[in-house]
């Protein structure tokens, strides 16, 4: 489907570049793209987290803002590039983190509280057992069974967990002390000020837009839904959950929600050397990666294998869910049309490989692990279930731990290393297979990026188990590419998705090679191993 520019004022001919800003859990990048979708300049800066107490994951908003300025200025230090030639800016970021900002001054009142923060665990349990919430789930479940309505079925399945923004916000309002630099507020004081319409709730993208534009409080649908305070079906802030859990909902509290490729305002001239540049794209990280891979058709799927692995499948215009625990997410909104996706996650991928070296000495580096694995074409019966932090879809057992099976006196380190890479591939295959079965959506393409995806062995295993071609992107992280595409579409820098598809190049293909009988044998052994892990950690 062709998606046309939303802008009535396409850039003039001299505009040569799109600037993407990509803010993750550990660092921020600025990437400069040309018309051919090539990255011609880049800069990166580490953004360290703050850990004021056990379970906390926080980032200083002002530190993140300064880091953004630093990486952009570094890109344009070169005389080869001029901000005057930037047609549009796209922003992508980790989802779910939030901070509170004083409306009158624009100054932060809290750090960003990250999606990994676990301090709301007990509050989440209390919220989950709240009678009114239980009643809502029960009614929604009954209506969902009778009608098949995805929103009702999803409402019935939702459970309150600390990863959800609504639980961390409720937790924040109940704290005796909330510190930001030298300033101390109480949670009830912040709650009261929110009720008095004195505070903005901001996700990472809305904070950057606010600072860049000099005060616009905006976000897009992917980041809004990433807070868990936004209804991805009715496309409004979720008044039912907000009311149930006593979250203030004043006119200034939540940002205005726009299309993913939209008009997010222009940068103040004094920020970037006198230039006022259109901000045309805003998108959550994994959604950006899905779009960056040009996964525009239902069934198109990508896996980003970094510290963890995110498996995201385009579900098309109608929301679909897995009754085994995957909810519809908004992939993007363009020209008012929503595209949905499903997301499954492997909690540890690159992190697990690092631990195998540092923690128990299996291999010094990821490269060394791959080199050992390359010394054999089989694991000699060794099976590694890579679940040191629990296992999610389709099993959902938070207590499961990584387990190795099949060791014998003939087992060599090379067999264990190959079993690790096979195990990571099989976990992704589990998710892919579950998504297809639960939604009756056929996998149509499979693209990968991320550091773990540098392993040819791991991707060959994935192709063998999924029985389809796996395509590795030329860029290690495709989130910036997706943000750039949205920003470019919004101003006519690129005309439509057909043009974006034509820009794809230099993917490396891995096609299935494994004997089908051997594949079936390995999958059966894997399933038995997973069931054993689940039974050990009930």
């Amino acid at each position: 489907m062709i998606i046309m520019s939303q802008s009535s004022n396409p850039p003039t001919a001299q505009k040569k570049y799109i600037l993407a800003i990509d803010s993750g859990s550990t660092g921020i990048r600025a990437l400069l793209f040309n018309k051919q979708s090539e990255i011609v300049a880049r800069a990166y800066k580490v953004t360290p987290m703050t850990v004021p107490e056990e379970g906390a994951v926080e980032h200083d908003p002002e530190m993140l803002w300064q880091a953004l300025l630093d990486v952009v200025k570094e890109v344009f230090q070169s005389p080869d590039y001029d901000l005057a030639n930037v047609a549009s800016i796209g922003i992508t970021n980790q989802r779910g983190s939030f901070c509170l900002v004083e409306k009158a001054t624009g100054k932060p009142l809290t750090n960003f509280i990250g999606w990994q923060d676990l301090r709301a665990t007990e509050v989440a349990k209390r919220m989950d057992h709240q009678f009114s919430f239980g009643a809502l789930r029960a009614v929604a479940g009954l209506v969902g069974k009778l009608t098949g309505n995805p929103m009702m079925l999803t409402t019935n399945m939702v459970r309150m967990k600390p990863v959800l923004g609504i639980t961390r916000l409720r937790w924040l309002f109940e704290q005796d002390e909330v510190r930001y630099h030298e300033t101390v507020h109480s949670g009830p004081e912040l709650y009261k000020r929110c009720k008095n319409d004195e505070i903005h709730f901001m996700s990472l993208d809305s904070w950057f837009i606010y600072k860049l534009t000099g005060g616009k409080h905006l976000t897009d649908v992917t980041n809004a839904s990433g807070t868990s305070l936004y209804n991805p079906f009715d496309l409004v802030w979720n008044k039912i959950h907000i009311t149930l859990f006593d979250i203030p909902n004043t006119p200034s509290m939540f940002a205005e929600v726009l299309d993913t490729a939209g008009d997010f305002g222009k940068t103040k001239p004094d920020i970037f050397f006198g230039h006022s540049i259109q901000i045309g794209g805003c998108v959550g990280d994994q959604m950006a990666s899905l779009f960056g891979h040009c996964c525009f058709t239902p069934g198109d799927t990508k896996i980003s294998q970094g510290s963890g692995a995110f498996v995201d499948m385009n579900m098309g215009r109608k929301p679909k869910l897995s009754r085994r625990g995957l909810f519809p997410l908004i992939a993007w909104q363009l020209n008012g049309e929503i595209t949905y996706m499903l997301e499954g996650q492997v909690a540890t991928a690159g992190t697990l490989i690092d631990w195998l070296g540092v923690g128990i000495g299996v291999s010094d580096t990821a490269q060394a692990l791959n080199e050992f694995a390359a010394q054999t074409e089989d694991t000699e019966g060794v099976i590694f279930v890579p679940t040191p932090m629990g296992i999610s879809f389709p099993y959902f057992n938070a207590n499961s731990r990584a387990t190795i099976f099949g060791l014998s006196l003939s087992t060599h380190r090379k067999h264990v290393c190959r079993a690790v890479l096979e195990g990571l591939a099989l976990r992704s295959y589990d998710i892919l297979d579950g998504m297809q079965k639960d939604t009756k959506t056929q996998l149509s393409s499979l693209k990968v990026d991320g550091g773990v995806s540098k392993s040819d062995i791991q991707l060959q295993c994935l192709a063998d188990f999924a029985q389809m071609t796996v395509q590795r992107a030329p860029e290690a992280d495709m989130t910036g590419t997706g943000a750039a595409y949205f920003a470019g579409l919004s101003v006519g820098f690129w005309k439509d998705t057909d043009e974006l598809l034509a820009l794809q190049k230099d993917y490396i293909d891995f096609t299935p090679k494994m004997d089908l009988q051997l594949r079936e044998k390995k999958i059966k052994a894997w399933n038995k191993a997973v069931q054993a892990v689940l039974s050990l950690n009930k």
Side-chain angles (χ1 to χ4, degrees), residues 142 210 286 318 336 350 427 520 537:
L142 179 61
Y210 184 81
Q286 299 308 320
K318 293 183 179 180
R427 267 300 292 135
E520 184 177 354
N537 299 281

Side-chain angles (χ1 to χ4, degrees), residues 3 133 257:
I3 303 166
F133 184 53
V257 183

Side-chain angles (χ1 to χ4, degrees), residues 55-70:
V57 177
E58 299 184 0
H59 283 91
D60 182 350
E62 293 290 2
M63 178 273 293
L64 293 173
W65 168 239
Q66 186 58 52
L68 182 153
L69 296 177
D70 290 345

Side-chain angles (χ1 to χ4, degrees), residues 16-28:
K16 298 179 180 179
Y17 305 114
I18 297 292
L19 176 64
I21 296 166
D22 180 2
S23 182
S25 299
T26 57
I28 187 167

Side-chain angles (χ1 to χ4, degrees), residues 286 289-297 299-305 310-313 428 432 443-450 453 459 462 466 468-476 478 485 500-505 507-510:
Q286 299 308 320
S289 180
L290 190 69
F291 201 81
H293 279 293
C294 294
C295 292
F296 302 143
T297 303
D300 284 354
T301 303
K302 69 86 183 169
I303 305 177
S304 297
Q305 300 188 111
F310 290 87
V311 182
D312 296 286
M313 181 185 288
S428 292
L432 293 169
L443 190 69
S444 55
S445 71
L446 182 55
K447 297 176 180 178
V448 296
D449 64 280
S453 297
L459 295 190
L462 183 58
M468 71 177 306
T469 299
V470 173
Q471 298 178 285
R472 180 169 63 202
E475 178 65 23
M478 295 297 287
Y485 283 171
L500 297 181
L501 280 166
L503 294 173
Q504 284 204 307
K505 60 184 178 180
Y507 275 76
I508 297 174
D509 290 354
F510 295 82

Side-chain angles (χ1 to χ4, degrees), residues 158-275:
V158 169
R159 296 295 183 269
M160 290 294 137
K161 299 176 182 178
V163 70
L164 301 180
I166 192 170
T167 62
R168 284 176 280 124
L169 183 57
R170 183 66 258 164
W171 168 86
L172 183 70
F173 288 145
E174 297 177 10
Q175 299 311 295
D176 293 331
E177 288 188 353
V178 179
R179 293 182 175 272
Y180 180 69
H181 291 188
E182 302 304 319
T183 305
V184 180
H185 300 278
S186 71
E189 177 190 351
L190 293 173
Y191 170 83
K192 183 177 180 180
R193 294 190 65 186
C194 289
K195 292 282 283 187
N196 291 338
D197 202 25
E198 298 175 10
I199 288 177
H200 295 310
F201 172 92
M202 290 194 182
S203 49
L204 192 52
D205 62 296
S206 57
W207 168 245
F208 287 153
I209 292 168
Y210 184 81
K211 296 292 285 184
L212 287 166
T213 61
K216 289 184 178 291
H217 191 203
L218 304 171
T219 188
D220 94 298
V221 289
T222 66
N223 282 293
S225 60
T227 68
S228 73
L229 290 155
Y230 188 79
N231 186 322
F233 303 97
D234 291 339
L235 306 181
V236 294
W237 292 103
N238 195 327
K239 293 181 180 179
I240 294 177
H241 282 178
I242 286 170
T243 301
L244 279 179
F245 299 116
D246 194 21
I247 303 296
N249 189 20
T250 56
S252 302
M253 180 70 170
F254 297 110
E256 180 184 353
V257 183
L258 305 182
D259 274 18
T260 310
D263 182 1
F264 295 93
K266 293 185 177 181
T267 62
K268 291 196 305 176
D270 61 317
I271 292 176
F272 292 142
F273 314 112
H275 299 287

Side-chain angles (χ1 to χ4, degrees), residues 52-58 113 117-123 162 171:
E53 59 183 313
E54 186 177 355
V57 177
E58 299 184 0
I113 301 176
D117 195 299
L118 298 175
R119 290 173 292 177
T121 299
E122 292 306 315
V123 172
W171 168 86

